[in-house]
Amino acid sequence: MTATADQPLPAAADALRAALLSAAARRLGLVVAEVDLRVTGLLDGSAERVEPEPVEVRPAPAENAAGRAAESVNGVAALTGVLGAAVHTGADQVRVELATESGHRALDVARAVREAVGDAVEGRPPVAVLVTAVAEEAPAG
């Protein structure tokens, strides 16, 4: 983290920890036990609030039953292909990459996708879901 001299570093770190813990619970549905921070810089003057850049989600097509099942789950904004194919089917498992819609907790969406894909694939293999983004609005595609 980078901080300013406007407030003591422990106070700035505590505020950032609280924000990260809250975002993990509210936006992602995750229970986080601890947030470890490292101060990497001290800025002169007061910091201006900088809005984060919107995440660009590049939709990938659903090319098989697993992809169509994942895409149909409420809260899935799009399948993505950050690490390769959006749906990777191995000998004994399936991996699905996707972006969730911002109004849905990522953990809940991932669980629903695991269930839907497991039901759609013969033999009901283990399903791993990788959330690559939380989209603010549905991507075009």
Side-chain angles (χ1 to χ4, degrees):
M1 76 177 246
T2 303
T4 65
D6 291 354
Q7 61 179 322
L9 286 176
D14 286 344
L16 179 55
R17 273 189 198 94
L20 291 171
L21 289 167
S22 175
R26 284 185 299 106
R27 295 202 55 185
L28 303 177
L30 301 176
V31 176
V32 177
E34 189 173 325
V35 174
D36 188 25
L37 300 175
R38 178 182 310 172
V39 176
T40 59
L42 185 60
L43 301 173
D44 292 329
S46 63
E48 295 178 20
R49 178 166 171 81
V50 177
E51 292 298 321
E53 294 284 327
V55 175
E56 181 182 347
V57 175
R58 294 186 181 152
E63 297 177 346
N64 55 28
R68 288 186 294 278
E71 211 172 42
S72 72
V73 172
N74 191 26
V76 172
L79 298 180
T80 61
V82 175
L83 298 179
V87 178
H88 172 76
T89 305
D92 60 349
Q93 58 129 3
V94 177
R95 184 190 74 230
V96 179
E97 295 182 31
L98 57 86
T100 63
E101 295 172 351
S102 65
H104 298 268
R105 290 182 355 147
L107 180 61
D108 298 336
V109 174
R111 285 179 174 157
V113 167
R114 280 180 51 197
E115 185 71 25
V117 171
D119 289 345
V121 176
E122 185 178 333
R124 198 163 170 79
V127 178
V129 178
L130 176 61
V131 177
T132 60
V134 176
E136 293 301 318
E137 53 188 60

PDB file of all heavy atoms in Angstrom, residues 43-62:
ATOM      1  N   LEU A  43       3.516   9.086   0.234  1.00  0.00           N
ATOM      2  CA  LEU A  43       3.309  10.178  -0.709  1.00  0.00           C
ATOM      3  C   LEU A  43       3.356  11.516  -0.005  1.00  0.00           C
ATOM      4  O   LEU A  43       2.955  11.635   1.155  1.00  0.00           O
ATOM      5  CB  LEU A  43       1.964  10.021  -1.403  1.00  0.00           C
ATOM      6  CG  LEU A  43       1.751   8.730  -2.179  1.00  0.00           C
ATOM      7  CD1 LEU A  43       0.307   8.659  -2.663  1.00  0.00           C
ATOM      8  CD2 LEU A  43       2.714   8.645  -3.342  1.00  0.00           C
ATOM      9  N   ASP A  44       3.830  12.534  -0.713  1.00  0.00           N
ATOM     10  CA  ASP A  44       3.795  13.897  -0.187  1.00  0.00           C
ATOM     11  C   ASP A  44       2.401  14.452  -0.386  1.00  0.00           C
ATOM     12  O   ASP A  44       1.751  14.190  -1.393  1.00  0.00           O
ATOM     13  CB  ASP A  44       4.788  14.800  -0.937  1.00  0.00           C
ATOM     14  CG  ASP A  44       6.227  14.424  -0.650  1.00  0.00           C
ATOM     15  OD1 ASP A  44       6.496  13.942   0.463  1.00  0.00           O
ATOM     16  OD2 ASP A  44       7.071  14.608  -1.555  1.00  0.00           O
ATOM     17  N   GLY A  45       1.920  15.232   0.566  1.00  0.00           N
ATOM     18  CA  GLY A  45       0.622  15.873   0.431  1.00  0.00           C
ATOM     19  C   GLY A  45      -0.522  14.902   0.611  1.00  0.00           C
ATOM     20  O   GLY A  45      -0.352  13.755   1.006  1.00  0.00           O
ATOM     21  N   SER A  46      -1.708  15.368   0.316  1.00  0.00           N
ATOM     22  CA  SER A  46      -2.889  14.530   0.472  1.00  0.00           C
ATOM     23  C   SER A  46      -3.176  13.815  -0.846  1.00  0.00           C
ATOM     24  O   SER A  46      -2.922  14.338  -1.920  1.00  0.00           O
ATOM     25  CB  SER A  46      -4.098  15.349   0.902  1.00  0.00           C
ATOM     26  OG  SER A  46      -4.412  16.291  -0.095  1.00  0.00           O
ATOM     27  N   ALA A  47      -3.711  12.633  -0.701  1.00  0.00           N
ATOM     28  CA  ALA A  47      -4.007  11.824  -1.883  1.00  0.00           C
ATOM     29  C   ALA A  47      -5.380  12.177  -2.431  1.00  0.00           C
ATOM     30  O   ALA A  47      -6.315  12.393  -1.675  1.00  0.00           O
ATOM     31  CB  ALA A  47      -3.958  10.348  -1.532  1.00  0.00           C
ATOM     32  N   GLU A  48      -5.475  12.235  -3.751  1.00  0.00           N
ATOM     33  CA  GLU A  48      -6.774  12.410  -4.391  1.00  0.00           C
ATOM     34  C   GLU A  48      -7.402  11.044  -4.548  1.00  0.00           C
ATOM     35  O   GLU A  48      -6.714  10.054  -4.789  1.00  0.00           O
ATOM     36  CB  GLU A  48      -6.597  13.036  -5.781  1.00  0.00           C
ATOM     37  CG  GLU A  48      -6.046  14.421  -5.778  1.00  0.00           C
ATOM     38  CD  GLU A  48      -5.862  14.935  -7.199  1.00  0.00           C
ATOM     39  OE1 GLU A  48      -6.489  14.393  -8.132  1.00  0.00           O
ATOM     40  OE2 GLU A  48      -5.084  15.874  -7.363  1.00  0.00           O
ATOM     41  N   ARG A  49      -8.705  10.979  -4.417  1.00  0.00           N
ATOM     42  CA  ARG A  49      -9.393   9.703  -4.614  1.00  0.00           C
ATOM     43  C   ARG A  49      -9.377   9.390  -6.100  1.00  0.00           C
ATOM     44  O   ARG A  49      -9.819  10.180  -6.924  1.00  0.00           O
ATOM     45  CB  ARG A  49     -10.823   9.781  -4.097  1.00  0.00           C
ATOM     46  CG  ARG A  49     -11.578   8.495  -4.325  1.00  0.00           C
ATOM     47  CD  ARG A  49     -12.854   8.445  -3.537  1.00  0.00           C
ATOM     48  NE  ARG A  49     -13.661   7.325  -3.900  1.00  0.00           N
ATOM     49  CZ  ARG A  49     -13.485   6.079  -3.467  1.00  0.00           C
ATOM     50  NH1 ARG A  49     -12.515   5.809  -2.646  1.00  0.00           N
ATOM     51  NH2 ARG A  49     -14.282   5.105  -3.845  1.00  0.00           N
ATOM     52  N   VAL A  50      -8.869   8.238  -6.418  1.00  0.00           N
ATOM     53  CA  VAL A  50      -8.787   7.797  -7.816  1.00  0.00           C
ATOM     54  C   VAL A  50      -9.752   6.636  -7.993  1.00  0.00           C
ATOM     55  O   VAL A  50      -9.684   5.644  -7.282  1.00  0.00           O
ATOM     56  CB  VAL A  50      -7.348   7.343  -8.161  1.00  0.00           C
ATOM     57  CG1 VAL A  50      -7.287   6.831  -9.579  1.00  0.00           C
ATOM     58  CG2 VAL A  50      -6.374   8.472  -7.931  1.00  0.00           C
ATOM     59  N   GLU A  51     -10.661   6.796  -8.926  1.00  0.00           N
ATOM     60  CA  GLU A  51     -11.609   5.722  -9.219  1.00  0.00           C
ATOM     61  C   GLU A  51     -10.897   4.644 -10.021  1.00  0.00           C
ATOM     62  O   GLU A  51     -10.139   4.961 -10.937  1.00  0.00           O
ATOM     63  CB  GLU A  51     -12.817   6.257 -10.008  1.00  0.00           C
ATOM     64  CG  GLU A  51     -13.706   7.175  -9.211  1.00  0.00           C
ATOM     65  CD  GLU A  51     -14.335   6.504  -8.005  1.00  0.00           C
ATOM     66  OE1 GLU A  51     -14.731   5.324  -8.112  1.00  0.00           O
ATOM     67  OE2 GLU A  51     -14.433   7.155  -6.962  1.00  0.00           O
ATOM     68  N   PRO A  52     -11.135   3.394  -9.685  1.00  0.00           N
ATOM     69  CA  PRO A  52     -10.471   2.328 -10.435  1.00  0.00           C
ATOM     70  C   PRO A  52     -10.977   2.267 -11.874  1.00  0.00           C
ATOM     71  O   PRO A  52     -12.114   2.619 -12.166  1.00  0.00           O
ATOM     72  CB  PRO A  52     -10.850   1.053  -9.668  1.00  0.00           C
ATOM     73  CG  PRO A  52     -12.073   1.413  -8.906  1.00  0.00           C
ATOM     74  CD  PRO A  52     -12.014   2.891  -8.646  1.00  0.00           C
ATOM     75  N   GLU A  53     -10.102   1.808 -12.745  1.00  0.00           N
ATOM     76  CA  GLU A  53     -10.477   1.598 -14.139  1.00  0.00           C
ATOM     77  C   GLU A  53     -11.516   0.484 -14.195  1.00  0.00           C
ATOM     78  O   GLU A  53     -11.402  -0.509 -13.472  1.00  0.00           O
ATOM     79  CB  GLU A  53      -9.262   1.172 -14.956  1.00  0.00           C
ATOM     80  CG  GLU A  53      -8.196   2.238 -15.075  1.00  0.00           C
ATOM     81  CD  GLU A  53      -8.569   3.315 -16.068  1.00  0.00           C
ATOM     82  OE1 GLU A  53      -9.243   2.993 -17.068  1.00  0.00           O
ATOM     83  OE2 GLU A  53      -8.195   4.464 -15.831  1.00  0.00           O
ATOM     84  N   PRO A  54     -12.532   0.619 -15.025  1.00  0.00           N
ATOM     85  CA  PRO A  54     -13.481  -0.488 -15.168  1.00  0.00           C
ATOM     86  C   PRO A  54     -12.779  -1.722 -15.731  1.00  0.00           C
ATOM     87  O   PRO A  54     -11.869  -1.608 -16.552  1.00  0.00           O
ATOM     88  CB  PRO A  54     -14.538   0.037 -16.134  1.00  0.00           C
ATOM     89  CG  PRO A  54     -14.116   1.391 -16.546  1.00  0.00           C
ATOM     90  CD  PRO A  54     -12.842   1.740 -15.859  1.00  0.00           C
ATOM     91  N   VAL A  55     -13.203  -2.866 -15.270  1.00  0.00           N
ATOM     92  CA  VAL A  55     -12.629  -4.120 -15.743  1.00  0.00           C
ATOM     93  C   VAL A  55     -13.191  -4.424 -17.119  1.00  0.00           C
ATOM     94  O   VAL A  55     -14.400  -4.384 -17.328  1.00  0.00           O
ATOM     95  CB  VAL A  55     -12.980  -5.268 -14.772  1.00  0.00           C
ATOM     96  CG1 VAL A  55     -12.489  -6.598 -15.309  1.00  0.00           C
ATOM     97  CG2 VAL A  55     -12.399  -4.984 -13.408  1.00  0.00           C
ATOM     98  N   GLU A  56     -12.294  -4.691 -18.066  1.00  0.00           N
ATOM     99  CA  GLU A  56     -12.755  -5.070 -19.399  1.00  0.00           C
ATOM    100  C   GLU A  56     -12.917  -6.586 -19.433  1.00  0.00           C
ATOM    101  O   GLU A  56     -11.976  -7.328 -19.189  1.00  0.00           O
ATOM    102  CB  GLU A  56     -11.759  -4.639 -20.462  1.00  0.00           C
ATOM    103  CG  GLU A  56     -12.219  -4.993 -21.857  1.00  0.00           C
ATOM    104  CD  GLU A  56     -11.222  -4.618 -22.929  1.00  0.00           C
ATOM    105  OE1 GLU A  56     -10.279  -3.865 -22.641  1.00  0.00           O
ATOM    106  OE2 GLU A  56     -11.389  -5.086 -24.057  1.00  0.00           O
ATOM    107  N   VAL A  57     -14.123  -7.012 -19.691  1.00  0.00           N
ATOM    108  CA  VAL A  57     -14.408  -8.447 -19.769  1.00  0.00           C
ATOM    109  C   VAL A  57     -14.535  -8.812 -21.239  1.00  0.00           C
ATOM    110  O   VAL A  57     -15.340  -8.228 -21.962  1.00  0.00           O
ATOM    111  CB  VAL A  57     -15.708  -8.795 -19.010  1.00  0.00           C
ATOM    112  CG1 VAL A  57     -16.056 -10.260 -19.193  1.00  0.00           C
ATOM    113  CG2 VAL A  57     -15.577  -8.437 -17.538  1.00  0.00           C
ATOM    114  N   ARG A  58     -13.717  -9.770 -21.652  1.00  0.00           N
ATOM    115  CA  ARG A  58     -13.789 -10.248 -23.035  1.00  0.00           C
ATOM    116  C   ARG A  58     -14.512 -11.587 -23.039  1.00  0.00           C
ATOM    117  O   ARG A  58     -13.953 -12.600 -22.652  1.00  0.00           O
ATOM    118  CB  ARG A  58     -12.391 -10.401 -23.603  1.00  0.00           C
ATOM    119  CG  ARG A  58     -11.694  -9.067 -23.737  1.00  0.00           C
ATOM    120  CD  ARG A  58     -10.383  -9.205 -24.426  1.00  0.00           C
ATOM    121  NE  ARG A  58      -9.771  -7.885 -24.502  1.00  0.00           N
ATOM    122  CZ  ARG A  58      -8.487  -7.695 -24.547  1.00  0.00           C
ATOM    123  NH1 ARG A  58      -7.664  -8.715 -24.540  1.00  0.00           N
ATOM    124  NH2 ARG A  58      -8.009  -6.472 -24.608  1.00  0.00           N
ATOM    125  N   PRO A  59     -15.774 -11.572 -23.456  1.00  0.00           N
ATOM    126  CA  PRO A  59     -16.556 -12.809 -23.442  1.00  0.00           C
ATOM    127  C   PRO A  59     -15.986 -13.869 -24.376  1.00  0.00           C
ATOM    128  O   PRO A  59     -15.452 -13.556 -25.432  1.00  0.00           O
ATOM    129  CB  PRO A  59     -17.937 -12.373 -23.918  1.00  0.00           C
ATOM    130  CG  PRO A  59     -17.964 -10.893 -23.809  1.00  0.00           C
ATOM    131  CD  PRO A  59     -16.555 -10.439 -23.939  1.00  0.00           C
ATOM    132  N   ALA A  60     -16.101 -15.101 -23.944  1.00  0.00           N
ATOM    133  CA  ALA A  60     -15.706 -16.253 -24.761  1.00  0.00           C
ATOM    134  C   ALA A  60     -16.960 -17.067 -25.038  1.00  0.00           C
ATOM    135  O   ALA A  60     -17.865 -17.127 -24.200  1.00  0.00           O
ATOM    136  CB  ALA A  60     -14.664 -17.087 -24.024  1.00  0.00           C
ATOM    137  N   PRO A  61     -17.033 -17.702 -26.180  1.00  0.00           N
ATOM    138  CA  PRO A  61     -18.244 -18.470 -26.518  1.00  0.00           C
ATOM    139  C   PRO A  61     -18.356 -19.764 -25.705  1.00  0.00           C
ATOM    140  O   PRO A  61     -17.360 -20.348 -25.306  1.00  0.00           O
ATOM    141  CB  PRO A  61     -18.056 -18.789 -28.001  1.00  0.00           C
ATOM    142  CG  PRO A  61     -16.580 -18.759 -28.210  1.00  0.00           C
ATOM    143  CD  PRO A  61     -16.039 -17.737 -27.250  1.00  0.00           C
ATOM    144  N   ALA A  62     -19.584 -20.167 -25.476  1.00  0.00           N
ATOM    145  CA  ALA A  62     -19.862 -21.462 -24.846  1.00  0.00           C
ATOM    146  C   ALA A  62     -19.849 -22.502 -25.951  1.00  0.00           C
ATOM    147  O   ALA A  62     -20.735 -22.528 -26.795  1.00  0.00           O
ATOM    148  CB  ALA A  62     -21.214 -21.426 -24.148  1.00  0.00           C
TER     149      ALA A  62
END
